[in-house]
Amino acid sequence: MSVQQKSAPTLRRHVVPTELGRCTVRVQQGAPGRWGVSGTPEVYLHGAAGSWTTFQALLSGAPTSGEPANDRVLIDLPGWGESTNGARLERFSLVAMARAVTGVLKALGYQRWNLVGHSMGGFLALHMAAAWPEQTASVAAISATTFSVSDACRAPLPGLYRFPAFTGMLLAMRTMAALGPAGTALVRTVSATPLMGPLMSPFFADPAAIPPVEIRELGYDARPASFSAAARAAAHYDFGQWHGIRCPVLAIRGDSDVFTPESDLARLAVIVPHTRLATIPRCGHFAHIEQPDHVQRLLGELWSC
């Protein structure tokens, strides 16, 4: 999705070096304030098959889409979007990715942040909240891929029976990653064909309602090598770290979400008792695309507490 299509507000682009490679980030200025130092920013972390653009539907429909109260920071995580060249995937871990994100935020002048993460980005946001409890003001995890995904990454063959949607995608991505640049090219070729619609349909409650251009761009943003690196990182993650999360947490899933089962949210609430759970009806894995107004209301409630 282009900035002109859905993101009318001005976004300032920055490129920040990190241990995982150069990271591209866009900042929308809040009011009042100056670039990079306006209050506590909203930081948006995309999933393992996406980029910062997946949040445009959410932000373009926000009540303050013209001039938010605080800065909005949209990051292409190392290995995705415009942060792919020179990405050091061999060093990838949740810990390294979190250090990269906090390094970017501090380079921009921020000392505290509200995190909004989708899928892998939700997983990352929860880790950041545990590792930087004083700096993390809140976490909104939209369809965070956590416990079930970690189990499937650790044992893919049993996962085909227990968790077929994710495990099937994982095996496909690993196959494409093994092909190198040819695998990425194949994924992008398929994303430009009508076949991409049926392939992406499990992710949405009403696939027919999703504009074809958004389906194509989700496919275009798929990075097999980066996805595989993220899966390796998730496989052996120590969820006990999340006992250290102190900030308010909002955990959202769609009622048709095939990647984030209801049991994952229930388990999260046991580890982090101050978690608020929300299930959005008529919604799949991409609530911020299918039901952006509903998600925006939940975010407003979280930040107003």
Side-chain angles (χ1 to χ4, degrees):
M1 300 172 211
S2 67
V3 173
Q4 293 88 340
Q5 282 178 306
K6 286 191 174 182
S7 202
T10 301
L11 299 175
R12 179 166 292 183
R13 182 177 180 275
H14 304 261
V15 179
V16 181
T18 77
E19 65 184 271
L20 295 177
R22 293 167 67 84
C23 188
T24 300
V25 55
R26 288 168 171 80
V27 179
Q28 181 188 355
Q29 183 181 17
R34 295 179 292 109
W35 288 107
V37 293
S38 176
T40 304
E42 304 162 18
V43 180
Y44 294 84
L45 307 171
H46 62 76
S51 70
W52 76 272
T53 62
T54 60
F55 290 108
Q56 288 189 95
L58 177 65
L59 298 183
S60 65
T64 56
S65 58
E67 192 175 63
N70 296 307
D71 290 359
R72 291 171 175 157
V73 182
L74 298 116
I75 301 176
D76 274 344
L77 296 169
W80 283 272
E82 294 181 17
S83 302
T84 54
N85 290 338
R88 303 183 182 99
L89 296 181
E90 72 281 358
R91 302 183 185 180
F92 189 97
S93 68
L94 266 298
V95 173
M97 184 67 82
R99 283 198 303 262
V101 171
T102 55
V104 167
L105 295 175
K106 290 178 180 179
L108 293 173
Y110 303 115
Q111 300 302 318
R112 190 168 166 80
W113 39 76
N114 292 296
L115 302 176
V116 181
H118 170 248
S119 199
M120 175 198 71
F123 196 149
L124 176 60
L126 290 163
H127 174 76
M128 289 177 62
W132 288 272
E134 299 299 329
Q135 288 79 20
T136 305
S138 69
V139 169
I142 305 170
S143 289
T145 45
T146 55
F147 308 106
S148 296
V149 161
S150 180
D151 290 343
C153 291
R154 195 164 49 250
L157 292 181
L160 278 173
Y161 173 73
R162 300 172 187 164
F163 203 37
F166 172 80
T167 308
M169 184 175 181
L170 171 63
L171 295 176
M173 285 293 194
R174 284 180 173 174
T175 300
M176 294 300 103
L179 297 175
T184 301
L186 179 58
V187 171
R188 290 186 171 181
T189 298
V190 171
S191 73
T193 71
L195 182 61
M196 199 62 194
L199 289 175
M200 292 297 294
S201 62
F203 293 92
F204 300 99
D206 185 6
I210 308 301
V213 65
E214 296 198 20
I215 297 292
R216 286 196 299 271
E217 288 176 355
L218 284 172
Y220 184 85
D221 280 333
R223 312 281 177 170
S226 300
F227 188 100
S228 299
R232 288 193 299 271
H236 301 288
Y237 184 79
D238 176 13
F239 292 102
Q241 299 173 77
W242 292 358
H243 288 291
I245 295 176
R246 302 177 192 169
C247 67
V249 174
L250 169 65
I252 302 170
R253 69 178 292 273
D255 62 352
S256 301
D257 193 339
V258 295
F259 274 20
T260 307
E262 191 173 4
S263 59
D264 275 18
L265 267 62
R267 186 173 170 187
L268 174 63
V270 171
I271 297 176
V272 187
H274 46 277
T275 297
R276 178 189 171 194
L277 307 181
T279 298
I280 299 178
R282 301 179 303 281
C283 188
H285 189 61
F286 287 86
H288 52 305
I289 293 177
E290 283 195 278
Q291 301 282 353
D293 292 342
H294 195 148
V295 173
Q296 192 58 241
R297 286 196 299 273
L298 291 171
L299 292 177
E301 292 168 7
L302 173 68
W303 295 331
S304 65
C305 292

